[in-house]
């Protein structure tokens, strides 16, 4: 039976579509009022209907009562069917974009034939909205921002890469306030999960009021969701939500530990605290006699409960507390350990930087080795290199190698397609002439598990293939990876000594933390690469390293940490069964 919410949604849809059509306010408002009143009923509308009392519902007159009757009897509404034949129902989705009213939606539909949010996003990106009457560059940018905000509201989770920079700017803002001793990120963003629900920020200050006031007065806040003495929650106009907690500096350690989570990790740590005679809260470690042990730093918290410091990336209750007690926590890899980037692109394929520009950017970031791995011939959309162009590229790299000698070691490689039919995109004799081969899946990724796994195995078994790039080809937040049998992939990679990539692009982070951890357990080597398509993309590296840390990776597990000579030796002469 159709429930009140479904009835209300139907009337809201009618109101939206009538408004786009240009109906007057009184008519559309009648439907909106009816929808609101339906949601407030303490009884199901169909019971009222069975009693023949529909018109006793506030805001429901004869016309709307007839429509409810038809819906409850037939499950359909002829009026709505006629309306959607005239005005596509998908237009109502567009009305939900913040700052976009029915008039604008009608304008885009009339002028450009746009009927879906996706089409609107494309048109905005292509700059087609700016020239419409009443629009302009600024309004066009606002439409795009609104679409992003809508997407966030729907999936509820924000990609790490989108939240990170915003979080940093909030920290800078807070640290600059008078009376603020420290400000740190907490929650899932500090743990570097690949998606973030909301931002949790911890501030150390004696006096919380001025911090709360300054934080919640920022102009880019769309509304305040909650305001207490030590905690404020807001939603920013970009759709990101954040909460700020203020604690006195001498209690900052327990507060930061609490707010970093995860919840499950905290449960374990509290159990451990109890064993040591403490109850642990965000405010303090409290002894049985009621006296408090205050911790200014997290290190003190972990020490007091008998644990070594547990890095935030491990705090997921995946055995880290037990390992801490047993003294078997890994020495996690750090960004500074990474010496080489083994998967990058240039203007030869779909990159935005020349090889020279990419090399200079890598040098500026302290890299010692850079592999240029442009796309291979079959990837048309990536402007893949024919064998001729690949050989011409070799010439250019040979020349640049002289120029950059002593600064960075340049490798000539490829990101080779694993083609839909399971074959590889260059013959072995060409691969043998390259310094490094990354093999990746970009096409036909929805093949059945057995078929797509077999394709991947072909690449893993090829003695010229050194690394599998972004193995599952997932995209964050909404493209699931290929349906690979990961266990089989990991075993084959371990057996053949082929490294699997953790792609550091925050849209990818592929392998993910859980897969990468299992791979390490099975003896697979990992590669953490940026897949840079432009000089600034080298800055993706910390996201990849964080994912490796969440996978419990030590330096030794990741080939990019190896000294140049060792890595060159491995590339030239990989142990192979
Ligand atoms: P998210 O935002 O969904 O990506 O995930 P988190 O981990 O940031 O979780 P969130 O924002 O709900 O809460 C932030 C932190 O606050 C969480 O990591 C641990 C702490 N916390 C929140 N609620 C509870 C709770 O009920 N018990 C405990 N022990 N800690 C909590
Ligand atoms: Ca959070
Ligand atoms: Zn790729």
């Amino acid at each position: 039976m159709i429930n009140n919410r479904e009835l209300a949604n139907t009337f809201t849809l009618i109101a939206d579509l009538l408004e786009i059509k240009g109906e007057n306010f009184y008519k559309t408002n009648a439907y909106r009022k009816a929808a609101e009143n339906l949601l407030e009923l303490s009884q199901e509308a169909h019971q009222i209907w069975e009693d023949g009392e529909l018109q006793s519902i506030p805001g429901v007159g004869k016309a709307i009562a007839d429509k409810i009757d038809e819906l409850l009897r037939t499950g359909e509404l002829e009026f709505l069917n006629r309306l959607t034949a005239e005005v596509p129902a998908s237009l109502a989705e567009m009305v939900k974009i913040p700052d976009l009213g029915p008039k604008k939606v009608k304008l885009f539909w009339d002028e450009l034939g746009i009927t879906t949010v996706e089409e609107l996003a494309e048109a905005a990106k292509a700059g087609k909205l700016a020239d419409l009457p009443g629009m302009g560059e600024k309004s066009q940018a606002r439409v795009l921002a609104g679409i992003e905000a809508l997407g966030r509201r729907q999936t509820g989770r924000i990609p790490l890469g989108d939240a990170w920079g915003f979080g940093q700017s909030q920290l800078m803002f807070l640290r600059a306030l008078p009376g603020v001793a420290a400000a740190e990120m907490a929650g899932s963003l500090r743990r570097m999960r690949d998606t973030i629900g909301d931002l949790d920020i911890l501030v150390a200050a004696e006096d919380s009021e001025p911090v709360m006031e300054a934080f919640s007065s920022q102009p880019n806040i769309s509304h305040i969701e909650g305001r207490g003495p030590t905690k404020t929650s807001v939603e920013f106009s970009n759709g990101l939500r954040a909460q700020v907690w203020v604690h006195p500096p001498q209690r900052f350690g327990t507060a930061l530990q609490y707010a970093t989570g995860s919840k499950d990790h905290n449960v374990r740590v509290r159990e451990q605290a109890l064993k040591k005679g403490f109850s642990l809260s965000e405010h303090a470690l409290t002894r049985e006699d009621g006296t408090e042990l205050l911790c200014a730093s997290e290190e003190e918290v972990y020490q007091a409960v008998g644990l070594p410091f547990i890095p935030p990336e491990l705090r997921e209750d995946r055995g880290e507390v037990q390992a801490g007690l047993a003294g078997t926590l890994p020495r996690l890899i750090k960004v500074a350990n990474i010496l080489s980037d083994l998967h990058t692109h240039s203007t030869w394929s779909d990159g935005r930087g020349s090889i020279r520009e990419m090399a200079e950017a890598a040098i500026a970031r302290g890299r010692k080795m850079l592999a240029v791995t442009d796309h291979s011939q079959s990837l048309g959309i990536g402007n893949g290199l024919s064998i001729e162009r690949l050989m011409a590229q070799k010439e250019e790299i040979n020349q640049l190698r002289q120029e950059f000698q002593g600064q960075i070691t340049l490798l000539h490689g490829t990101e080779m397609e694993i083609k839909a039919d399971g074959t590889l995109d260059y013959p072995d004799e060409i691969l043998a002439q390259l310094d490094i081969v990354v093999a990746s899946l970009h096409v036909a990724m929805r093949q059945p598990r057995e078929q797509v796994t077999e394709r991947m195995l072909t690449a893993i078994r090829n003695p010229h293939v050194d690394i599998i790039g972004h193995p599952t080809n997932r995209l964050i937040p909404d493209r699931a990876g290929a349906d690979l049998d990961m266990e089989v992939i990991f075993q084959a990679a371990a057996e053949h000594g082929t490294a699997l990539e953790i792609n550091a692009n925050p849209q990818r982070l592929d392998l993910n933390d859980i897969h990468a951890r299992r791979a390490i357990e099975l003896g697979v080597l990992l590669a953490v690469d940026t897949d840079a398509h432009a000089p600034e993309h080298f800055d993706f590296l910390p996201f990849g390293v964080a994912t490796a840390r969440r996978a419990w990776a030590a330096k030794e597990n990741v080939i990019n940490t190896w000294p140049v000579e060792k890595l060159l030796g491995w590339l030239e002469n990989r142990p192979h069964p």
Side-chain angles (χ1 to χ4, degrees):
M1 191 50 95
I2 297 179
N3 65 25
N4 294 354
R5 171 157 298 279
E6 288 159 334
L7 288 171
N9 288 347
T10 304
F11 289 122
T12 304
L13 175 64
I14 291 175
D16 287 342
L17 296 179
L18 287 177
E19 219 168 306
I20 293 166
K21 206 180 142 189
E23 283 287 358
N24 71 45
F25 172 80
Y26 296 99
K27 193 156 180 188
T28 59
N29 196 47
Y31 289 105
R32 290 199 200 285
K33 279 277 168 237
E36 275 171 34
N37 290 326
L38 280 163
L39 286 177
E40 280 166 16
L41 285 182
S42 55
Q43 211 186 346
E44 283 296 331
H46 66 81
Q47 284 170 350
I48 303 173
W49 169 68
E50 280 159 21
D51 296 340
E53 300 285 342
L54 278 178
Q55 289 191 50
S56 72
I57 301 173
V60 175
K62 171 105 177 56
I64 289 181
D66 285 348
K67 291 193 173 66
I68 297 176
D69 175 70
E70 186 184 337
L71 276 163
L72 291 174
R73 267 189 302 109
T74 69
E76 276 197 67
L77 189 56
E78 182 53 32
F79 175 76
L80 182 59
N81 292 346
R82 279 202 310 271
L83 184 58
T84 53
E86 215 180 322
V87 186
S90 56
L91 289 175
E93 271 305 299
M94 270 196 261
V95 182
K96 293 183 192 150
I97 298 169
D99 303 327
L100 205 66
K103 288 218 173 66
K104 284 273 152 62
V105 171
K106 181 165 171 21
L107 175 76
F108 302 148
W109 178 40
D110 286 347
E111 298 289 327
L112 301 171
I114 291 169
T115 58
T116 66
V117 176
E118 289 72 40
E119 288 168 7
L120 183 64
E122 269 170 40
K125 280 181 198 151
K128 288 182 188 158
L129 306 182
D131 299 335
L132 296 177
M135 292 290 293
E137 294 288 342
K138 270 199 181 151
S139 311
Q140 175 168 282
R142 258 203 310 279
V143 169
L144 264 183
I147 293 173
E148 273 180 39
L150 180 70
R152 275 171 205 151
R153 214 168 288 166
Q154 282 169 349
T155 67
R157 300 194 66 82
I158 304 129
L160 171 63
D162 295 356
W164 176 257
F166 188 76
Q168 290 304 311
S169 65
Q170 284 296 311
L171 287 181
M172 295 221 286
F173 169 77
L174 289 164
R175 285 172 183 154
L177 295 176
V180 168
E184 293 293 341
M185 194 52 67
S188 52
L189 186 51
R190 181 164 182 240
R191 303 198 311 278
M192 301 293 273
R193 278 192 61 178
D194 53 19
T195 63
I196 306 299
D198 64 1
L199 272 64
D200 304 276
I201 306 172
L202 245 291
V203 174
E206 289 295 348
D207 191 2
S208 69
E209 190 47 39
V211 178
M212 296 299 193
E213 185 55 34
F215 175 73
S216 48
S217 306
Q218 296 179 84
N220 55 344
I221 286 176
S222 65
H223 67 277
I224 314 274
E225 291 182 336
R227 175 101 184 245
T230 65
K231 187 172 143 180
T232 297
S233 309
V234 304
E235 182 173 330
F236 290 93
S237 41
N238 61 9
L240 275 169
R241 286 176 302 117
Q243 41 195 334
V244 165
W245 333 36
V246 182
H247 285 267
Q250 65 274 20
R251 296 180 188 270
F252 193 62
T254 40
L256 183 59
Q257 198 283 327
Y258 174 87
T260 298
S262 66
K263 268 180 217 170
D264 294 337
H265 171 82
N266 287 357
V267 169
R268 295 269 175 214
V269 176
R270 278 204 302 275
E271 281 170 10
Q272 200 48 40
L274 284 175
K275 288 186 197 152
K276 296 276 169 185
F278 291 110
S279 90
L280 171 60
S281 76
E282 59 187 303
H283 304 289
L285 283 152
T286 309
R287 300 185 188 89
E288 277 154 27
D289 64 6
T291 57
E292 288 183 330
L293 172 66
L294 303 189
C295 299
S297 73
E298 277 190 325
E299 282 78 1
E300 294 165 66
V301 181
Y302 283 100
Q303 194 179 10
V305 305
L307 285 168
F309 179 78
I310 298 181
E313 295 92 334
L314 297 189
R315 299 184 196 171
E316 299 289 354
D317 189 24
R318 293 177 184 162
E320 69 280 7
V321 169
Q322 295 86 331
L325 289 171
T328 56
L329 282 173
R331 278 175 56 102
L332 293 183
I333 182 176
K334 298 188 186 82
V335 174
N337 298 145
I338 300 281
L339 303 179
S340 52
D341 202 326
L342 303 175
H343 178 182
T344 70
H345 297 268
S346 74
T347 45
W348 280 83
S349 65
D350 60 353
R352 279 192 281 113
S354 66
I355 298 176
R356 181 195 304 279
E357 286 163 340
M358 296 301 278
E360 282 165 352
I363 292 166
R365 287 160 181 81
R367 301 294 123 75
K368 302 289 180 230
M369 182 144 83
L370 175 69
V372 179
T373 57
D374 277 306
H375 291 289
S376 61
Q377 51 193 354
S378 78
L379 196 68
I381 54 161
N383 190 23
L385 273 58
S386 64
I387 291 174
E388 271 166 18
R389 287 179 66 221
L390 186 68
M391 291 304 142
Q393 187 184 44
K394 184 176 271 308
E395 293 290 305
E396 180 176 323
I397 290 179
N398 281 338
Q399 281 170 17
L400 288 169
R401 201 171 267 153
Q402 308 289 324
E403 202 177 309
F404 285 109
Q405 201 167 22
Q407 298 183 75
I408 196 164
T409 303
L410 292 180
L411 297 181
H412 184 217
T414 177
E415 182 186 13
M416 175 176 60
E417 282 309 298
I418 303 169
K419 294 200 289 183
D421 63 4
T423 61
L424 300 175
D425 207 11
Y426 293 127
D428 280 357
E429 59 270 24
I430 296 298
L431 297 181
Q433 296 177 50
L434 298 171
D435 302 320
I436 183 167
V437 176
V438 178
S440 305
L441 189 81
H442 295 105
V443 296
M445 63 174 287
R446 293 291 166 224
Q447 287 173 345
R449 168 174 277 226
E450 224 166 279
Q451 193 179 358
V452 72
T453 302
E454 197 49 48
R455 267 167 83 194
M456 193 56 94
L457 291 176
T458 306
I460 290 172
R461 291 180 189 131
N462 184 300
H464 299 289
V465 173
D466 303 296
I467 299 173
I468 302 296
H470 48 73
T472 75
N473 204 30
R474 73 157 173 172
L475 285 182
I476 298 168
D478 47 19
R479 187 173 83 193
D483 184 19
L484 294 163
D485 187 336
M486 296 311 279
E487 201 67 13
V488 168
I489 300 287
F490 296 153
Q491 274 156 8
E495 182 188 343
H496 292 267
T498 311
L500 300 183
E501 184 177 75
I502 293 178
N503 191 293
N505 184 323
Q507 284 195 312
R508 293 192 178 274
L509 300 178
D510 178 11
L511 300 173
N512 69 20
D513 50 358
I514 291 175
H515 283 152
R517 186 167 174 198
R518 179 65 183 150
I520 293 170
E521 279 172 4
L522 293 177
V524 175
L525 288 167
L526 299 176
V528 177
D529 298 314
T530 63
D531 194 0
H533 281 68
E536 67 271 18
H537 292 174
F538 286 110
D539 296 329
F540 290 155
L541 184 61
F543 300 119
V545 172
T547 303
R549 288 168 65 86
R550 289 177 58 82
W552 294 47
K555 193 177 150 185
E556 308 78 72
N557 302 124
V558 177
I559 62 175
N560 310 65
T561 68
W562 294 355
V564 168
E565 286 310 316
K566 177 176 173 181
L567 187 50
L568 286 175
W570 179 80
L571 286 170
E572 216 162 288
N573 211 350
R574 279 209 345 262
H576 230 278

